[in-house]
Amino acid sequence: MQKVSVLLFLAWVCFLFYAGIALFTSGFLLMRLELTNHSSCQEPPGSGPLPHGHRGEPGACWMTARFSRVVLVLIDALRFDFALPKSPHMPGAPPVSVPFLGKLGSLNRILESQPHHARLYRSQVDPPTTTMQRLKALTTGSLPTFIDAGSNFASHAIVEDNLIKQLTSAGRRVVFMGDDTWKDLFPAAFSQAFFFPSFNVRDLHTVDNGILEHLYPTVDSGEWDVLIAHFLGVDHCGHKHGPHHPEMAKKLSQMDQVIQGLVERLENDTLLVVAGDHGMTMNGDHGGDSELEVSAALFLYSPTALFSSAPPEEPEVVPQVSLVPTLALLLGLPIPFGNVGEVMVEVFSGSEDSQFHSSALAQASALHLNAQQVSRFLHTYSTATQDLQIKELQRLQSLFSKASADYQRLLQSPQRAEAALQAVIAELQQFLRGARAMCIESWARFSLSFLLLHLLAAGMPITTPGPFIVPWQAVSAWALLATHTFYSTGHQPVFPAIHWHAAFVGFPEGHGSFTWLPALLVGANTFASHLLFAVGCPLLLLWPFLCESQRPRKRRQPPGNEAETRVRPEEEEEPLKEMRLQDAPHHFNAALLQLGLKYLFVLGTQILACALAASILRRHLMVWKVFAPKFIFEAVGFIVSSVGLLLGIALVMRVDSAVSSWFRQLVLAQQR
């Protein structure tokens, strides 16, 4: 077997493993680029006049504010059917006799008694359905992923444009109380804050009781413009007991009393928003993309009439990110720069103005502002990276240009026909929904495609005939020793445990403008054990020789010389241990191939186990803190080890070629 053939075959096997890792990663570890651009009142999202001509007036921005205050009650894991008075009709829905049904009775009483003041929606959540990613979506209007590549590496703080930043920039007083996750996402952003620890999922009451201690006094004080209360009891009850436990009924009843108490205290200029960040499975978990996990409740209420029509029989389904542009325009704020949500046009139909001849024109104006902002974002994002589909992007841009031109002609026309308004609304909605669908296709696919290529590579036959066989226990022990060295040197497969100080070893004054050098130093420090043991793996070929002893052997005689052999037996010593490699060079190459495949098989089994764990436990509470980082470290470790293995085998082959050449010269010299 030729040396080059061995290296090429091993490289091909490594490629199959890489393809399997990439296949799994593309659907599990979602990634996008974060932009730090921000919207502002001074910079309209596009060309053309702003609605009402209110630009520059006090309290106005892109659109006149409808409300001056908002109370956002975020009930963690408030699944949509928790807000229904009767059994929901959805796949995997529980039976009728379950404790949580009808416990949020105040919502239904308001919907029945004040149909033009309130709406209940089914909020469609984008995976992953974890709290931190959902909070990012609820404030930025974007589609956060597991890896949001940007300038906030090793930090949870949101650097993208968001509602909190827009509120603080406008001088609004934002008061927060509840889940301390907000403290990391928005450091020093609140005028007043009451944070409570959220990690202990078996504690159902500490966070909620802490909020209730401050909620009503804060509302009554009036020293706020936006009040955010993030309750955790429902989510923790789901993790601890599941949604069908009597404790869930108690928690929902408590939330119902909270909502009723707030409704009684609201003033006419205040909007109440009750929302769940995600749902939960039948077992109370979340993180994946099942119907129960991505279905959350969203409830809007205003003391003054907000809707021009009564609510439909079945609640409308709206994307969760649609809340962001809706709240921004209702509060008279710019829509966050990276928003991909579509405004909920229904809430703009009741805000009739003297310059608006119909509710349809109000809806078209809000949609046009929204479409201008999304078009600007897509253009900026597409120039920074190539994540988005070029053909689809061009199609959407053409659609937006047509819709925008139709809208401008409609404003200039003295006769604003209702049919023309509806056509413009349909075009703008088509653009916004197409843009969001394109972004979901690029960023929010939660495809758990299995590692078929990985299994194919791992299942390859690795038995090669020959005298140089390294036992499985030696190969396995070698791979496990690399893992042991990784942990024994103080490393752990989580991002906070990375030894960042290694970036400055030998460079105490810094690296100047070079960024690849500190990354190389940190990577070398982290994966040194993988690299060293992989490069040294071919040395295991000496294992059989360490276990044998030198013994004499008879020299073979040609046929017909048996008598001479009996008269004068002649013995010669067998070549000393590793020198036997020169007797059968083709067996030596086959042994290198066999050893390489065995080592790749052991490493591949480890990463396959991590992929299975991440897939099976994708709805586990700690999937993004434990299992996903473990998979990342194993994947990078496998790549480093496989490259090191190829380098080690190539080095051994080079040494073997030099020794063989020297051995042949020595034999020729003896023959002469």
Side-chain angles (χ1 to χ4, degrees):
M1 183 175 291
Q2 297 296 324
K3 294 180 173 62
V4 176
S5 300
V6 171
L7 287 176
L8 290 178
F9 185 76
L10 286 175
W12 179 70
V13 174
C14 291
F15 171 77
L16 290 181
F17 277 104
Y18 299 159
I21 293 172
L23 178 65
F24 181 84
T25 303
S26 63
F28 187 76
L29 300 182
L30 316 174
M31 181 184 296
R32 70 178 177 90
L33 177 69
E34 283 187 335
L35 299 180
T36 57
N37 306 62
H38 291 81
S39 300
S40 67
C41 292
Q42 291 71 32
E43 297 181 9
S47 59
L50 292 173
H52 303 282
H54 282 319
R55 182 182 177 187
E57 291 187 8
C61 190
W62 294 359
M63 180 174 280
T64 303
R66 176 75 186 278
F67 296 96
S68 59
R69 290 184 174 185
V70 168
V71 177
L72 173 59
V73 178
L74 191 62
I75 303 177
D76 208 292
L78 183 64
R79 205 167 71 188
F80 172 70
D81 55 345
F82 290 177
L84 294 180
K86 57 182 179 180
S87 177
H89 301 283
M90 64 175 63
V96 176
S97 58
V98 290
F100 61 75
L101 288 178
K103 298 304 177 183
L104 294 178
S106 61
L107 302 185
N108 297 284
R109 288 193 297 269
I110 294 173
L111 290 171
E112 293 176 358
S113 61
Q114 304 181 68
H116 294 276
H117 295 245
R119 278 292 187 277
L120 175 65
Y121 298 94
R122 177 186 292 183
S123 179
Q124 192 72 20
V125 179
D126 297 301
T129 51
T130 51
T131 296
M132 181 169 291
Q133 274 71 23
R134 292 304 92 219
L135 293 182
K136 288 184 177 181
L138 283 168
T139 54
T140 64
S142 62
L143 302 173
T145 60
F146 173 70
I147 303 176
D148 290 332
S151 59
N152 64 332
F153 186 66
S155 172
H156 296 304
I158 295 178
V159 297
E160 286 185 290
D161 196 9
N162 57 81
L163 280 177
I164 305 300
K165 182 174 180 59
Q166 290 293 342
L167 287 165
T168 55
S169 298
R172 308 289 181 89
R173 297 165 297 177
V174 183
V175 177
F176 176 83
M177 52 190 69
D179 186 354
D180 60 354
T181 303
W182 292 72
K183 182 179 181 180
D184 297 326
L185 295 177
F186 306 100
F190 303 109
S191 60
Q192 189 177 16
F194 305 95
F195 297 112
F196 302 96
S198 59
F199 186 77
N200 185 8
V201 296
R202 303 189 68 83
D203 183 359
L204 309 184
H205 307 293
T206 298
V207 176
D208 293 359
N209 291 341
I211 295 174
L212 293 176
E213 181 181 351
H214 302 281
L215 179 60
Y216 298 129
T218 302
V219 172
D220 295 336
S221 69
E223 298 179 355
W224 56 274
D225 297 305
V226 175
L227 176 60
I228 303 173
H230 188 168
F231 292 89
L232 289 178
V234 173
D235 179 71
H236 287 188
C237 184
H239 287 298
K240 184 178 181 180
H241 301 294
H244 302 94
H245 196 275
E247 283 295 328
M248 181 62 76
K250 296 179 181 179
K251 266 296 159 189
L252 292 174
S253 297
Q254 183 186 34
M255 295 299 100
D256 186 65
Q257 295 175 5
V258 171
I259 296 171
Q260 185 62 41
L262 288 172
V263 168
E264 295 172 355
R265 289 172 168 82
L266 290 184
E267 298 181 358
N268 290 338
D269 63 343
T270 306
L271 175 68
L272 173 64
V273 180
V274 180
D277 57 342
H278 52 74
M280 65 173 66
T281 65
M282 301 293 283
N283 297 324
D285 298 324
H286 57 87
D289 61 346
S290 68
E291 178 65 24
L292 294 177
E293 290 172 278
V294 301
S295 181
L298 174 62
F299 178 78
L300 303 182
Y301 171 76
S302 169
T304 59
L306 182 60
F307 304 94
S308 59
S309 61
E313 294 183 3
E314 291 293 331
E316 181 183 354
V317 179
V318 297
Q320 186 183 57
V321 292
S322 296
L323 183 63
V324 174
T326 303
L327 287 181
L329 294 183
L330 288 177
L331 290 171
L333 300 172
I335 300 175
F337 189 90
N339 165 74
V340 295
E342 172 191 344
V343 292
M344 301 158 62
V345 293
E346 193 179 18
V347 302
F348 297 95
S349 59
S351 57
E352 297 182 357
D353 189 89
S354 58
Q355 298 186 26
F356 282 84
H357 291 201
S358 68
S359 62
L361 186 57
Q363 296 175 2
S365 299
L367 282 170
H368 186 250
L369 283 173
N370 190 187
Q372 285 182 316
Q373 169 266 316
V374 172
S375 176
R376 181 183 62 178
F377 166 72
L378 293 179
H379 174 73
T380 306
Y381 189 90
S382 61
T383 58
T385 184
Q386 304 299 320
D387 289 357
L388 304 178
Q389 305 173 20
I390 298 179
K391 291 184 179 180
E392 181 65 12
L393 195 62
Q394 294 174 347
R395 186 190 72 83
L396 290 172
Q397 189 59 43
S398 299
L399 179 61
F400 169 72
S401 299
K402 180 181 182 302
S404 183
D406 292 344
Y407 173 76
Q408 297 297 338
R409 283 194 298 268
L410 196 63
L411 292 180
Q412 298 172 1
S413 173
Q415 295 180 350
R416 298 164 179 171
E418 194 71 20
L421 281 170
Q422 293 299 330
V424 170
I425 290 175
E427 290 176 346
L428 293 171
Q429 289 178 329
Q430 184 181 358
F431 165 74
L432 289 169
R433 293 168 187 177
R436 179 174 173 271
M438 180 182 62
C439 293
I440 290 176
E441 179 66 22
S442 300
W443 305 330
R445 293 168 296 166
F446 202 81
S447 173
L448 292 180
S449 304
F450 224 70
L451 303 179
L452 299 179
L453 295 176
H454 196 138
L455 292 173
L456 175 63
M460 286 182 172
I462 54 175
T463 57
T464 305
F468 315 113
I469 300 177
V470 181
W472 273 104
Q473 58 267 30
V475 180
S476 301
W478 193 259
L480 292 176
L481 190 58
T483 303
H484 172 75
T485 305
F486 174 82
Y487 286 99
S488 63
T489 51
H491 297 285
Q492 295 182 26
V494 289
F495 296 116
I498 294 178
H499 296 178
W500 301 108
H501 62 272
F504 302 97
V505 173
F507 300 89
E509 303 299 328
H511 307 85
S513 59
F514 296 102
T515 57
W516 58 268
L517 185 57
L520 182 63
L521 291 174
V522 172
N525 176 273
T526 304
F527 298 102
S529 61
H530 297 77
L531 182 62
L532 293 176
F533 279 87
V535 172
C537 182
L539 297 178
L540 291 178
L541 281 177
L542 301 179
W543 178 283
F545 307 129
L546 296 176
C547 300
E548 68 178 9
S549 59
Q550 186 177 1
R551 59 186 184 278
R553 70 178 181 181
K554 292 183 178 181
R555 177 181 297 177
R556 292 184 177 179
Q557 299 294 334
N561 293 340
E562 289 82 355
E564 181 181 353
T565 303
R566 287 193 299 268
V567 174
R568 187 170 52 84
E570 194 171 287
E571 295 181 347
E572 66 174 1
E573 288 188 353
E574 187 176 359
L576 181 63
K577 295 186 177 182
E578 61 270 16
M579 292 306 295
R580 289 173 54 200
L581 299 174
Q582 303 304 320
D583 284 356
H586 59 287
H587 287 163
F588 173 64
N589 294 334
L592 282 175
L593 175 61
Q594 182 189 43
L595 176 60
L597 290 175
K598 283 184 175 180
Y599 196 68
L600 289 176
F601 180 85
V602 174
L603 296 178
T605 302
Q606 291 179 345
I607 192 172
L608 181 60
C610 288
L612 288 172
S615 301
I616 296 171
L617 300 172
R618 64 186 183 275
R619 295 181 179 88
H620 193 278
L621 179 64
M622 304 299 293
V623 63
W624 303 112
K625 290 187 177 181
V626 176
F627 302 108
K630 172 65 174 174
F631 169 76
I632 293 177
F633 274 82
E634 285 291 343
V636 176
F638 176 85
I639 295 174
V640 172
S641 298
S642 59
V643 173
L645 179 66
L646 293 176
L647 291 176
I649 291 178
L651 179 62
V652 169
M653 286 182 171
R654 180 68 184 89
V655 173
D656 178 65
S657 297
V659 173
S660 298
S661 177
W662 169 79
F663 191 75
R664 285 193 299 269
Q665 294 176 4
L666 184 62
V667 171
L668 291 176
Q670 289 179 347
Q671 290 178 352
R672 289 196 298 266

